[in-house]
């Protein structure tokens, strides 16, 4: 699977899409959460809403929260409506992948593209990679060696 697109909606919500499959992502209290229904649907589960409701009710190892997610408008932007969805964190998403059967290509896409995707808080700077400048030898150390060579 190739061509993953990440579309941010209003800073705290996003959609990760690829070849007709999509997973909604939400920033909640500084933590990136993923729509459990979308992960299950991408894997081909027939009734993802029932699976989520059962897991939420039984409080299994898949930690889920029921949160409001903003609906997309006709033009793709933010809409005032919201609806309840079950969300899980990265560890819960991996537990879902272990618990159900899934096509290897979809499983790899979810593991390598979707679950590592993190949203930042609105207004927070994007994390920059740490680049250390190369260590330059001081000019004085080289001059002393040269002077000793000339004097000898």
């Amino acid at each position: 699977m190739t061509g993953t697109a990440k579309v941010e909606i209003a800073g705290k919500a996003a959609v990760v899409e690829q070849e007709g499959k999509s997973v909604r992502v939400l920033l909640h209290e500084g933590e990136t959460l993923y729509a459990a229904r979308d992960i299950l649907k991408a894997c081909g589960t027939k009734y993802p809403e029932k699976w989520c409701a059962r897991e939420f009710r039984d409080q299994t190892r898949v930690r889920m929260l029921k949160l409001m997610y903003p609906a997309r408008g006709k033009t793709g932007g933010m809409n005032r409506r919201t609806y309840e969805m079950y969300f899980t964190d990265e560890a819960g998403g991996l537990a879902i992948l272990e618990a159900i059967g899934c096509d290897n290509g979809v499983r790899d896409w979810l593991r390598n593209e979707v679950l590592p995707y993190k949203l930042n808080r609105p207004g927070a700077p994007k994390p920059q990679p740490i680049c250390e400048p190369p260590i330059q030898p001081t000019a004085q150390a080289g001059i002393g060696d040269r002077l000793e060579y000339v004097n000898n």
Side-chain angles (χ1 to χ4, degrees):
M1 299 183 98
T2 58
T4 298
K6 296 166 181 95
V7 180
E8 287 197 28
I9 306 170
K12 60 182 262 180
V15 179
V16 181
E17 300 174 322
Q18 181 178 8
E19 296 178 10
K21 296 179 183 353
S22 63
V23 176
R24 288 168 276 201
V25 182
L26 181 69
L27 184 66
H28 177 70
E29 296 178 359
E31 184 179 16
T32 302
L33 301 174
Y34 308 91
R37 174 196 182 279
D38 295 343
I39 293 171
L40 291 163
K41 190 173 179 184
C43 286
T45 304
K46 283 205 174 218
Y47 301 104
E49 293 87 2
K50 288 183 180 180
W51 194 94
C52 290
R54 184 184 69 236
E55 294 291 313
F56 183 72
R57 181 188 69 231
D58 297 342
Q59 290 297 316
T60 62
R61 65 184 181 142
V62 179
R63 189 189 81 141
M64 284 201 216
L65 300 171
K66 201 170 192 178
L67 301 170
M68 301 304 283
Y69 188 82
R72 277 211 267 187
K74 291 180 182 177
T75 59
M78 183 80 160
N79 196 339
R80 292 182 187 201
R81 293 179 327 157
T82 58
Y83 48 94
E84 284 187 331
M85 291 182 64
Y86 292 104
F87 285 89
T88 188
D89 57 0
E90 183 175 0
L94 292 171
I96 289 172
L97 290 177
E98 288 177 16
I100 61 171
C102 191
D103 177 50
N104 286 339
V106 174
R107 183 182 303 271
D108 291 342
W109 174 67
L110 289 168
R111 271 199 183 125
N112 300 329
E113 302 274 339
V114 176
L115 295 176
Y117 179 69
K118 303 292 181 216
L119 282 171
N120 290 329
R121 290 183 180 162
K126 302 271 185 194
Q128 299 293 325
I130 298 173
C131 296
E132 294 183 18
I135 298 173
Q136 297 290 334
T138 59
Q140 293 175 350
I143 292 174
D145 293 338
R146 291 184 194 146
L147 288 176
E148 285 182 14
Y149 179 75
V150 172
N151 292 333
N152 292 331

